[in-house]
Amino acid sequence: MMKVLVLGTLGAAALLAGCASTQTVLNGPVTETFHSQDSANKVAFCLANKNNTAALDQDNGSKVVLIKNGYGGVSMAFTVIPEGAGSRVEWRKKFGTIGGIWKQCVGLKASS
């Protein structure tokens, strides 16, 4: 029983070690950029709402929406930046996949 507990703990630690932190993802390269006619507030609310999370206000006026896996690692990050009357969305993907419902928020057709 102790051997199973130790192996389980080591396995969980290995999984957590592979999880990306918020700063790691936000400092990483942009996977894709989208431009929306909708305001940054509207786009960030949509992304947060469709992913059951919150939009985080940044000092520069942008908003960040983080998508995390079951272990708390950030798999994707959306930075929504005001751009004229609309917004620019920088999407950073670290790992994993989620449904495409978020694509509706940036003006693309959702894949699921």
Side-chain angles (χ1 to χ4, degrees), residues 17-104:
C19 291
S21 73
T22 300
Q23 249 358 90
T24 299
V25 177
L26 289 175
N27 289 337
V30 174
T31 304
E32 194 166 349
T33 300
F34 305 98
H35 297 274
S36 175
Q37 293 180 359
D38 291 329
S39 71
N41 285 337
K42 186 172 182 179
V43 172
F45 174 79
C46 181
L47 288 166
N49 188 51
K50 294 206 180 291
N51 291 289
N52 297 316
T53 190
L56 308 168
D57 294 327
Q58 302 299 296
D59 290 340
N60 66 1
S62 68
K63 297 183 179 296
V64 172
V65 178
L66 304 172
I67 310 301
K68 296 183 178 185
N69 67 11
Y71 299 102
V74 177
S75 60
M76 287 193 245
F78 297 90
T79 304
V80 186
I81 304 158
E83 185 175 69
S87 58
R88 181 176 82 239
V89 181
E90 295 177 348
W91 172 44
R92 290 172 175 84
K93 181 178 178 184
K94 186 65 177 176
F95 62 87
T97 59
I98 62 168
I101 194 82
W102 64 268
K103 292 179 181 181
Q104 294 173 353

